[in-house]
Amino acid sequence: MSWRSRGGGGGGGGGGEAAASKSAVSRKWTLLFCIGCFCAGMLFSDRMWSVPEIKDVSRTTRVDNETPKLVSGCDPTIKDVEHEPKDVYGEVSTTHHAIPTLDKKISNLEVELAAARAAQESILSGSPIAENLRIPETRNKRKYLMVVGINTAFSSRKRRDSVRATWMPQADKRKQLEEEKGIVVRFVIGHSATSGGILDRAIEAEEKRHGDIMRLDHVEGYLELSAKTKIFFATAVASWDADFYVKVDDDVHVNIGTLGATLARHRSKPRVYIGCMKSGPVIAQKGVRYHEPEYWKFGAEGNKYFRHATGQLYAISKDLANYISNNQHVLHKYANEDVSLGSWFIGLDMEQIDDRRLCCGTPPDCEWKAQAGNVCVASFDWSCSGICKSSERIKEVHKRCGEGENALWNAAF
């Protein structure tokens, strides 16, 4: 039976109108319901997609007026992320104070690097590693004020004995000097052209007796003093961690206590070159003492050298000794050792100190100064580039110009 047959004949028109009315009402409510859902959805979406509060914004350098605006200025939850200017100044001040500490750490690392390089070079060259290079880490634990290297030769046995009898402490006193005052003193010498010959055996016997000789991997010779100087500083800085490294000739009288007090005043300076500064003429004439084969490098004939410390005695700080050690293979050697040393420092940011107490004359000069309370650091004769007949006269110089034993042991560096 069809849908229409159920409704009957006459009543079919009234039932159709009622159904149409109900359908129209349903469409209106459906439309209102959809509009309501849409509004509710928009309200919900606005709450979900509002911009959150900005936190932990990293500080970066920027131009304020170019910063994009994330939200309108009416949002009270966003706070200013910039700190006060005083915080920046505080950080700069902290960094400034940290720089000296970093410099100290770098300097210590350079000492260790120099020791490692010296040991490596000895291995690569096939040479036996010197005792002072085998255990540098043990000695480096002890901090010294200065290492004094007395330049000497195979033929200078009498000079060495005269120094031992005057200003250089011996045996237990020398050890006490190292432990209590932080001062190391050694004669410095290499080996002969025929290594292991009679000259070397004589030095080995002398070392066994006195224990005050520092052997270098270097062939001795007057024309090789510049090379010897480089090797001395490289070996010394690898063996002892000191504030200063001093080179002195074996025919010069030295007051160790006064030298230590003089150097201690410059401890806070990183790169120091101390001595009696001069600027002598460049000798172009062959066969003359102090002849400079490379005189042409210094300009026209008759020109003078740049200022440098005279070779009888000079001191350099640890940073400069490290510089020599790290660059010894490329540092040029001139005929005169003191000129070579001065040339290595040209162009470096260092302080050159001219102290005339490091080059006093022998009596009566140093004696008058000592009586006036101005004790000399070193005394020698300019005419002899050292004390004339030093093995015979140094005892007299020590007696008349020495600082006295108590001055050394009572000194506080």
Side-chain angles (χ1 to χ4, degrees):
M1 181 181 293
S2 67
W3 179 80
R4 286 185 178 182
S5 65
R6 291 182 194 177
E17 290 177 1
S21 177
K22 291 180 179 180
S23 176
V25 172
S26 299
R27 283 197 297 269
K28 290 179 181 180
W29 281 107
T30 300
L31 179 61
L32 291 174
F33 180 74
C34 291
I35 293 172
C37 290
F38 176 78
C39 294
M42 289 295 294
L43 178 62
F44 180 76
S45 298
D46 288 341
R47 294 181 62 84
M48 289 296 293
W49 289 98
S50 63
V51 179
E53 181 180 356
I54 299 176
K55 297 181 179 180
D56 298 329
V57 178
S58 60
R59 292 184 299 169
T60 56
T61 303
R62 73 188 192 281
V63 179
D64 291 340
N65 58 4
E66 293 181 359
T67 303
K69 303 298 183 179
L70 299 179
V71 293
S72 63
C74 62
D75 190 345
T77 61
I78 300 178
K79 299 180 180 179
D80 186 9
V81 296
E82 293 186 359
H83 295 281
E84 295 294 330
K86 62 182 181 180
D87 293 339
V88 177
Y89 297 142
E91 291 181 4
V92 172
S93 178
T94 302
T95 303
H96 177 73
H97 291 302
I99 289 176
T101 303
L102 292 175
D103 286 342
K104 190 72 173 179
K105 292 181 179 179
I106 292 172
S107 181
N108 291 337
L109 289 174
E110 287 177 345
V111 172
E112 296 176 7
L113 178 61
R117 284 180 175 175
Q120 183 184 32
E121 289 166 6
S122 296
I123 295 173
L124 294 177
S125 64
S127 303
I129 302 177
E131 186 67 22
N132 52 28
L133 295 181
R134 289 176 183 169
I135 51 172
E137 63 278 2
T138 301
R139 287 180 175 175
N140 283 343
K141 293 180 180 179
R142 172 70 162 88
K143 181 71 174 181
Y144 295 90
L145 169 63
M146 62 181 180
V147 175
V148 181
I150 308 172
N151 186 37
T152 191
F154 290 110
S155 59
S156 300
R157 174 62 186 267
K158 290 184 178 180
R159 287 185 179 181
R160 291 192 291 275
D161 287 340
S162 67
V163 170
R164 292 183 179 114
T166 53
W167 61 268
M168 180 181 182
Q170 291 298 294
D172 292 339
K173 286 188 176 182
R174 190 179 68 253
K175 294 180 180 179
Q176 183 182 358
L177 183 67
E178 296 179 10
E179 295 173 358
E180 295 184 6
K181 302 300 180 181
I183 299 176
V184 178
V185 185
R186 294 287 189 277
F187 288 105
V188 179
I189 193 169
H191 57 80
S192 64
T194 55
S195 183
I198 187 172
L199 295 176
D200 292 303
R201 292 199 299 270
I203 287 293
E204 290 170 3
E206 191 175 341
E207 161 63 13
K208 285 185 178 180
R209 179 179 179 183
H210 298 283
D212 57 5
I213 297 178
M214 177 183 179
R215 301 300 299 274
L216 302 178
D217 184 14
H218 166 75
V219 178
E220 286 291 322
Y222 180 77
L223 298 178
E224 297 298 327
L225 290 179
S226 294
K228 184 177 182 179
T229 300
K230 285 199 297 185
I231 296 173
F232 160 64
F233 283 120
T235 306
V237 79
S239 304
W240 295 281
D241 181 12
D243 291 319
F244 296 95
Y245 298 86
V246 183
K247 177 263 177 182
V248 59
D249 288 339
D250 60 4
D251 56 351
V252 173
H253 180 270
V254 180
N255 285 318
I256 300 180
T258 306
L259 174 61
T262 300
L263 297 182
R265 289 197 292 269
H266 304 288
R267 247 175 174 164
S268 61
K269 302 172 183 177
R271 291 170 295 279
V272 182
Y273 174 32
I274 307 174
C276 288
M277 301 299 166
K278 65 175 183 178
S279 181
V282 180
I283 308 299
Q285 184 179 354
K286 293 183 179 180
V288 179
R289 191 178 186 186
Y290 305 128
H291 165 63
E292 178 57 74
E294 297 181 275
Y295 62 90
W296 53 271
K297 288 186 176 180
F298 300 92
E301 186 174 348
N303 278 4
K304 292 184 176 182
Y305 287 114
F306 41 80
R307 281 177 63 82
H308 60 279
T310 184
Q312 286 85 352
L313 186 149
Y314 49 74
I316 62 175
S317 58
K318 181 173 68 174
D319 284 358
L320 294 182
N322 275 323
Y323 173 78
I324 294 175
S325 176
N326 295 335
N327 299 281
Q328 56 183 307
H329 299 299
V330 296
L331 295 177
H332 186 68
K333 302 185 295 292
Y334 290 103
N336 299 301
E337 157 258 329
D338 52 354
V339 172
S340 294
L341 183 77
S343 71
W344 299 336
F345 300 150
I346 290 179
L348 297 185
D349 183 13
M350 60 88 188
E351 183 175 355
Q352 189 181 98
I353 298 175
D354 182 17
D355 193 333
R356 309 313 291 184
R357 291 185 303 160
L358 274 65
C359 54
C360 294
T362 54
D365 179 41
C366 58
E367 186 176 21
W368 291 341
K369 292 177 180 178
Q371 291 175 354
N374 189 22
V375 179
C376 292
V377 172
S379 301
F380 57 87
D381 301 310
W382 284 105
S383 59
C384 298
S385 295
I387 298 175
C388 299
K389 299 180 180 179
S390 64
S391 59
E392 302 171 7
R393 295 184 57 235
I394 196 169
K395 289 184 179 180
E396 177 192 357
V397 175
H398 183 67
K399 180 179 179 181
R400 298 173 63 179
C401 299
E403 61 190 353
E405 186 175 0
N406 291 334
L408 171 60
W409 299 112
N410 293 335
F413 306 122

